Amino acid sequence: MSIADVGTEALREHVATQLRRARDRSVELTDAVDDDDLVRQHSKLMSPLVWDLAHIGSQEELWLVRDVGGREPLRADIDDLYDAFQHPRADRPALPLLGPGEARGYVREVRDKVFDVLEHSPLEGRRLETNGFAFGMIVQHEQQHDETMLATHQLRVGPPVLSAPPPPPAAAGADALAGREVLVPGGPFTMGTSADPWALDNERPAHEVHVPAFAIDAAPVTNARYAAFVDDGGYDQPRWWSEEGWRHRTEAGLTAPMHWRRDGGGWTYTRFGRTSPLVPDEPVVHVCFHEAAAFARWAGRRLPTEAEWEKAARYDPATGRSRRYPWGDQEPTPGLANLGQRHLAPAPVGAYPDGVSPLGVHQLIGDVWEWTDTDFAAYPGFSAFPYREYSEVFFGPSYKVLRGGSFGTDPAACRGTFRNWDYPIRRQIFSGFRCARDPLPGEVD
Ligand code: AVJ
Ligand code: FE
């Protein structure tokens, strides 16, 4: 059942639960380190964790306290400090930011007001309030920053502070999955959504896209397959790389995925402060778009387009409908996908047989974000809502789309239509990929 059909009081309860879940995670990620660590910049690519925390509160104040609630500002004086467009990440540590105690107090105060606003919102009428959209947007915003904070944790040095149970092992018979492909028939499918109440502006509207037949990997590319590319000298041969990719590989001195280290004949991998041998059947993670594209060319393949990825994930040939998720319309559960920081690693290929798409494609949701070959762009009929700076200002050739969410993504900020984007050189995010190819002659009729 969709949140559009549950009734106002059940929706209010749902919003409250989602707000609390997001906050519990923000608190966990920020309480895990001491104050010194909270205000420090662990990488030029990231904000200090204390900036993310107060920024979460600032966005919540802007949209829920002031706009939806029509209340007086709590801290109009700090709007500018936490406006992501005013100050690049690298400059944030030098700003007169709220300290750890102040930031914690601020987000608590905002949240208290928001629960009062939630009590009084009709959750209908204005578009911002209908189906609790603004609350859903703020829940997703906090969860997105929680994933960003998790990425900061991965970049921080020092003894481990986060722990979680390991992901489930691959199911019996999953061995062949790493090399298997699925043929997706050509024809139209519905991309995007007009119906999902909490879908963000860039996922809208639903529109028909004709996608010619293609083959796609049944699972994300594993560490073992990626290591074969590295060990074959893949990083030393410009022929596998685009011109732009080769330039980046050279300037940045890339030799392997981020956090890999040579260890005799094999590799080790460092994750949240713990180093262990690379797990062969785990999806590769922390590769940039250029590395993914180079692997694909070496393997005689290519990256899927965004439309191909979404068709593989959502299209049900039996009904012609697009599903909300590969497994159907029901919300993710722990048995369907590796989401929500329950495990602090991608699961091995074959670990989620119940999450498979109707066409037989595995692990499209969760584990690792998947690079696509498509620039981030508006769908036909797009209109910015409620603000241009969420999506519209990023449309264009500078950003590539990633799909599917990672182990660090919360279910609230992940669905078959959800679109993420980043620069093609970025790899501090939990990014992996799978390959695709055109059909061979005679493979389809
Ligand atoms: C959708 C993940 C690219 O983190 O830059 C957070 C999400 N937008 N605050 C980002 C976002 C505003 C965004 N990404
Ligand atoms: Fe933000």
Side-chain angles (χ1 to χ4, degrees):
M1 185 152 67
S2 157
I3 54 167
D5 311 312
V6 296
T8 309
E9 286 323 304
L11 175 57
R12 222 184 289 284
E13 203 41 57
H14 177 72
V15 167
T17 304
Q18 295 295 318
L19 285 168
R20 287 196 188 97
R21 284 184 55 250
R23 185 53 44 88
D24 288 349
R25 173 157 304 139
S26 305
V27 167
E28 206 178 304
L29 289 165
T30 48
D31 281 0
V33 293
D34 62 24
D35 284 5
D36 211 45
D37 216 313
L38 271 183
V39 303
R40 182 178 311 149
Q41 187 168 46
H42 296 280
S43 154
K44 286 266 179 265
L45 295 174
M46 311 307 279
S47 315
L49 292 167
V50 77
W51 185 93
D52 284 284
L53 183 63
H55 166 80
I56 285 167
S58 171
Q59 287 293 106
E60 186 168 323
E61 175 181 354
L62 240 44
W63 288 104
L64 300 183
V65 177
R66 297 190 206 171
D67 198 323
V68 171
R71 312 287 169 93
E72 286 304 309
L74 283 95
R75 291 291 302 262
D77 58 311
I78 58 172
D79 288 359
D80 168 85
L81 285 178
Y82 297 103
D83 178 343
F85 288 84
Q86 296 297 322
H87 310 282
R89 282 179 175 177
D91 298 351
R92 290 174 192 166
L95 300 171
L97 301 177
L98 300 186
E102 290 173 303
R104 290 183 170 114
Y106 172 62
V107 299
R108 220 175 294 126
E109 234 182 290
V110 171
R111 184 52 63 86
D112 286 348
K113 292 258 187 312
V114 163
F115 276 120
D116 190 53
V117 170
L118 177 60
E119 279 312 304
H120 292 92
S121 169
L123 303 179
E124 60 182 22
R126 288 175 77 195
R127 183 171 168 200
L128 206 50
E129 287 173 78
T130 300
N131 294 319
F133 175 80
F135 294 92
M137 177 181 81
I138 287 302
V139 164
Q140 292 178 72
H141 181 258
E142 180 159 359
Q143 292 286 7
Q144 287 176 314
H145 277 274
D146 288 350
E147 181 166 359
T148 300
M149 289 198 277
L150 189 67
T152 303
H153 271 274
Q154 170 65 346
L155 291 166
R156 103 176 237 291
V157 289
V161 295
L162 299 177
S163 59
D175 289 4
L177 208 54
R180 200 191 301 161
E181 296 179 293
V182 169
L183 198 60
V184 178
F189 91 108
T190 302
M191 186 171 185
T193 177
S194 301
D196 201 314
W198 285 7
L200 302 174
D201 61 0
N202 64 55
E203 298 165 72
R204 301 169 183 273
H207 57 290
E208 197 174 274
V209 178
H210 185 91
V211 183
F214 64 100
I216 191 164
D217 287 345
V221 169
T222 60
N223 284 328
R225 293 180 71 210
Y226 198 86
F229 165 63
V230 182
D231 294 337
D232 192 41
Y235 279 71
D236 303 322
Q237 298 188 34
R239 64 182 166 144
W240 306 133
W241 300 71
S242 69
E243 206 180 304
E244 187 190 332
W246 183 253
R247 198 178 325 120
H248 174 66
R249 168 254 167 246
T250 305
E251 281 167 10
L254 303 184
T255 55
M258 200 173 189
H259 310 297
W260 284 33
R261 185 168 281 146
R262 272 245 185 251
D263 179 38
W267 296 95
T268 62
Y269 183 85
T270 303
R271 175 174 279 147
F272 303 115
R274 294 181 188 87
T275 299
S276 36
L278 199 63
V279 179
D281 60 353
E282 216 172 79
V284 67
V285 60
H286 294 299
V287 289
C288 70
F289 170 85
H290 297 305
E291 291 170 292
F295 173 94
R297 198 182 290 181
W298 169 82
R301 324 282 297 295
R302 59 174 174 78
L303 295 180
T305 65
E306 183 182 17
E308 286 172 340
W309 189 97
E310 187 168 324
K311 186 170 181 181
R314 298 183 65 209
Y315 180 65
D316 178 2
T319 62
R321 260 188 79 246
S322 286
R323 299 167 155 202
R324 198 163 178 243
Y325 301 96
W327 54 80
D329 292 335
Q330 67 276 29
E331 297 290 316
T333 63
L336 291 168
N338 180 13
L339 291 166
Q341 305 186 15
R342 279 197 321 275
H343 313 294
L344 293 175
V349 155
Y352 291 94
D354 295 340
V356 72
S357 78
L359 290 163
V361 187
H362 288 247
Q363 286 165 291
L364 288 149
I365 298 291
D367 298 301
V368 292
W369 286 103
E370 298 182 20
W371 286 109
T372 74
D373 195 33
T374 302
D375 294 344
F376 188 45
Y379 291 159
F382 168 86
S383 78
F385 182 78
Y387 65 116
R388 289 187 64 245
E389 290 75 17
Y390 181 75
S391 310
E392 194 177 8
V393 301
F394 298 101
F395 290 152
S398 303
Y399 295 91
K400 292 290 182 194
V401 172
L402 300 111
R403 288 302 204 100
S406 76
F407 64 88
T409 311
D410 190 79
C414 191
R415 49 200 161 260
T417 56
F418 191 93
R419 309 173 76 196
N420 191 6
W421 64 92
D422 214 327
Y423 291 120
I425 64 169
R426 290 289 185 249
R427 57 182 202 162
Q428 86 283 5
I429 54 176
F430 303 108
S431 50
F433 65 104
R434 73 181 70 216
C435 295
R437 64 171 171 83
D438 294 345
L440 301 168
E443 208 172 5
V444 289
D445 29 59

